[in-house]
Amino acid sequence: MGLGAPSSDGTGVGHEEKPLGDDDGQATGPFSEEVAGGVRAGDPDAVGRVYVALADRLLGYLMARVPDRASAEDLLELTFLELLQHGHTIRGGAAAIKVWLFRAAHFNALDHLRKVQRRAEDLREDVWALEVPDARRGPEDRAVADDLSRRVRQTMDLLSDEQRQVLLLRYIGGLSAPETGRVLRKSDGAVRSLQHRGERALARLLDHETDRAAPPLGDEAS
Amino acid sequence: MRFFEDDRDSAMAELLRRAYARTVDLDTAARHLWSIDSAAKAGRRSQRAHRARRVMVAVMASLMLGVTSGVAIAASSHTLPGDALYSVKRGAEHARLVLAVRPEADARVYLSIARTRWAEAQRAGEERPRVVPGLLKDTFAALDAAEARGGATAELALALRTQVAASSAELALGSNRSATEGQASGRPGEDGQDVAASPLPPSREPADDAAGSGASDPATTTGTADALASDGQDHRGGDGAPAGASPAPAPAPADAAAPPPETGPAPPPPPEREGLPPSGHPPGDAGPAHPAGEPAVTGGPEEGTGEAELAEPEPALSQPEPVTLGDPAADQASPSAPGWGRPRP
């Protein structure tokens, strides 16, 4: 269900009706400049509005980094509390706040992973598939247990950390390439390069998997 | 493949969205929003408590160091900056500030502090002229604080201010004169030597001292020097407002040392200004104006140099100051703080 008015495909936030990957990461932030001013003034209502606008995307990003929903939700809360406390240090408008949030989420996720220190094999485990589909959640949450989605996640794990982070920020976070660069401290060129390589690798590995999964034609000779 | 204007691939977007996109439960969202709201309220409340807490820290620290016996306090009453027990004297003043809760009582303490600084300045004019500008500065600062609280005390403070302004001209001229005498005659007189011997012009040197005596008492060797010497006022606070504080002492000492009839510098008003520190940086990433001493609650990645165009977020909700009694951060950060009686899912 998510926040705001439920949209047709259940992508949560009210005003974002189009599927992710739209231009909402670009010039106009998902919330107004007035709200941005409130955030810089430390106004909790303004922070709340930013939450409504961005929590879904941030949660998706956090869950992709820290594949345990409860922890991701805690990190989400922590990130917004940090915004409340330190919002006055942000220079810029709504877009700057969005970048700040993703950067904070990025570091919170890293910190969490360090603390938890799971073994590499555990990290690969598809915790997502264990999630009980919840009626309160949108339909895409149920899709998470899809076979295909599971394979997507497994394949993503095979990419390098940086490629994966870029793809997550661009596609799940909805950030533009320059914004992604600011979150990860990379140049525009580096971001695009990581993105394209990641996309190609992902596509290649998925196709490869698909080919292997399907029964090979011509195998059943009489 | 279809592309968006910004080169994201729509097929891939769909795949990734299905694999990762999430929505926040209404329950969770409500809980988070409530937590944000309650943290904001706690933040506002704790700002008022901040000043008292900070001064309390100074007192507690000196107590722990065992220097605030009554005898020590009594013995310190006639000390000047540079004496061993001077820090005890300032610490005792802090204690009085912390106990003065009502503004009138507060104002009276500030006035008495101003008088003390003025008396010290007059005595030091003879014995230790180098500390005079710093003391004058502190005098005016305390007068500002006393006047800011209004009431009858403000009038007394104003009267003292006039007197100080008039007399301090002589004081400063006195120290300047001995400097020029020392330079002109080349005579290694006591005061003349002190001032003339320095490579910097006399008006500069006291500036260093003023900053020195303002920010930390030279005689104090304890780590509480910053807290003790800050006079209960945070404009030189060493723990969290460097961006605001650092411009203030720099022009101010120059003002104090330059013709003093320009009634001393007016440092920013009472400590409520402290508020939220301008810190915001991931650990290891130096933010625009952040002291290196701030502890990061969680050790995070070292991300290289800070940048100026964007203030960095801190990954942990660490406390606003390094030394704090109680735990204001706990109030702010706890999502299960009482008040609503909501069960936590």
Side-chain angles (χ1 to χ4, degrees):
Chain A
M1 167 131 349
L3 306 170
S7 41
S8 56
D9 60 345
T11 43
V13 176
H15 66 268
E16 180 190 313
E17 277 109 5
K18 300 175 231 178
L20 211 61
D22 197 43
D23 70 341
D24 43 14
Q26 303 286 343
T28 59
F31 51 92
S32 72
E33 291 302 326
E34 204 184 314
V35 169
V39 168
R40 282 197 301 273
D43 176 18
D45 284 339
V47 173
R49 276 182 224 273
V50 175
Y51 183 98
V52 170
L54 289 178
D56 287 342
R57 284 197 248 168
L58 279 164
L59 183 67
Y61 176 68
L62 282 168
M63 286 193 65
R65 304 287 304 273
V66 178
D68 150 35
R69 187 170 185 121
S71 300
E73 286 178 353
D74 287 345
L75 292 178
L76 177 68
E77 178 179 16
L78 179 65
T79 306
F80 273 94
L81 287 174
E82 289 170 2
L83 180 65
L84 176 72
Q85 186 180 13
H86 299 157
H88 64 97
T89 64
I90 302 177
R91 285 185 217 119
I97 292 176
K98 185 178 65 169
V99 170
W100 192 98
L101 275 171
F102 275 95
R103 186 154 168 81
H106 170 79
F107 282 113
N108 287 338
L110 279 174
D111 285 349
H112 179 85
L113 288 172
R114 269 177 209 192
K115 274 188 227 166
V116 169
Q117 277 177 354
R118 292 202 180 115
R119 296 172 310 164
E121 305 89 78
D122 289 351
L123 279 174
R124 291 264 171 78
E125 193 179 315
D126 198 43
V127 187
W128 294 53
L130 299 173
E131 295 230 320
V132 177
D134 202 325
R136 294 172 303 172
R137 301 181 186 156
E140 84 283 358
D141 284 358
R142 289 194 279 276
V144 159
D146 258 359
D147 198 53
L148 174 61
S149 293
R150 187 175 47 79
R151 281 189 290 127
V152 167
R153 288 192 295 272
Q154 283 172 342
T155 312
M156 282 281 277
D157 281 346
L158 299 177
L159 300 182
S160 76
D161 280 352
E162 291 183 325
Q163 285 172 352
R164 188 170 51 251
Q165 285 167 14
V166 167
L167 289 183
L168 288 174
L169 284 169
R170 294 236 51 209
Y171 284 97
I172 307 301
L175 301 187
S176 68
E179 287 171 345
T180 303
R182 285 206 290 278
V183 170
L184 296 177
R185 282 281 178 273
K186 291 189 181 306
S187 71
D188 233 37
V191 167
R192 289 189 198 275
S193 156
L194 285 165
Q195 177 185 336
H196 294 143
R197 289 209 192 109
E199 285 167 349
R200 283 199 295 273
L202 193 62
R204 193 175 60 240
L205 291 166
L206 277 176
D207 282 347
H208 181 64
E209 268 219 9
T210 313
D211 288 345
R212 272 196 321 177
L217 299 173
D219 206 58
E220 45 231 318
S222 62
Chain B
M1 290 196 286
R2 284 177 295 134
F3 286 94
F4 293 104
E5 339 144 354
D6 64 351
D7 88 341
R8 277 178 289 192
D9 172 60
S10 62
M12 182 141 300
E14 184 60 24
L15 269 185
L16 289 173
R17 194 184 62 81
R18 286 171 62 90
Y20 290 109
R22 305 309 245 164
T23 51
V24 184
D25 304 340
L26 277 179
D27 268 5
T28 308
R31 191 157 39 92
H32 290 175
L33 288 169
W34 178 80
S35 164
I36 288 168
D37 205 59
S38 103
K41 289 197 179 70
R44 286 192 284 271
R45 266 202 310 275
S46 77
Q47 280 178 23
R48 285 191 291 277
H50 262 6
R51 194 194 108 223
R53 223 174 264 139
R54 280 204 67 228
V55 179
M56 181 79 74
V57 168
V59 172
M60 292 290 288
S62 52
L63 277 174
M64 286 189 287
L65 293 168
V67 293
T68 52
S69 71
V71 173
I73 291 179
S76 72
S77 61
H78 293 292
T79 52
L80 291 179
D83 295 335
L85 289 179
Y86 188 68
S87 58
V88 174
K89 185 181 190 183
R90 301 286 280 242
E93 288 172 359
H94 281 294
R96 288 163 59 209
L97 279 175
V98 96
L99 293 172
V101 175
R102 294 183 336 259
E104 321 63 72
D106 202 67
R108 283 196 291 274
V109 177
Y110 275 117
L111 180 62
S112 125
I113 288 176
R115 287 189 178 125
T116 310
R117 295 284 94 77
W118 176 230
E120 288 169 0
Q122 288 175 304
R123 280 178 52 213
E126 307 291 325
E127 309 167 23
R128 282 178 219 167
R130 289 163 59 126
V131 305
V132 167
L135 291 174
L136 286 178
K137 185 158 159 292
D138 291 347
T139 308
F140 287 120
L143 285 174
D144 287 342
E147 286 163 8
R149 281 149 178 79
T153 318
E155 293 180 21
L156 294 169
L158 202 51
L160 179 59
R161 182 186 285 273
T162 319
Q163 180 190 353
V164 171
S167 308
S168 62
E170 289 181 24
L171 270 182
L173 281 178
S175 57
N176 279 342
R177 193 180 309 127
S178 58
T180 52
E181 274 175 6
Q183 284 172 348
S185 64
R187 174 176 62 87
E190 338 56 27
D191 297 328
Q193 179 176 25
D194 275 353
V195 184
S198 80
L200 300 168
S203 62
R204 283 291 304 280
E205 190 181 84
D208 298 331
D209 271 352
S213 66
S216 70
D217 193 86
T220 311
T221 55
T222 68
T224 59
D226 286 351
L228 282 176
S230 70
D231 244 350
Q233 298 173 12
D234 292 345
H235 56 277
R236 285 183 291 259
D239 65 336
S246 48
D255 287 344
E262 163 192 355
T263 66
E272 275 78 0
R273 187 181 77 82
E274 179 187 348
L276 298 169
S279 65
H281 68 107
D285 191 348
H290 191 69
E294 168 141 352
V297 172
T298 62
E302 301 298 319
E303 273 293 300
T305 62
E307 298 213 6
E309 94 269 3
L310 192 65
E312 299 310 315
E314 231 178 84
L317 194 66
S318 57
Q319 303 179 11
E321 38 195 324
V323 183
T324 307
L325 280 190
D327 200 8
D331 291 340
Q332 295 175 17
S334 162
S336 55
W340 269 39
R342 297 174 74 253
R344 223 194 133 148

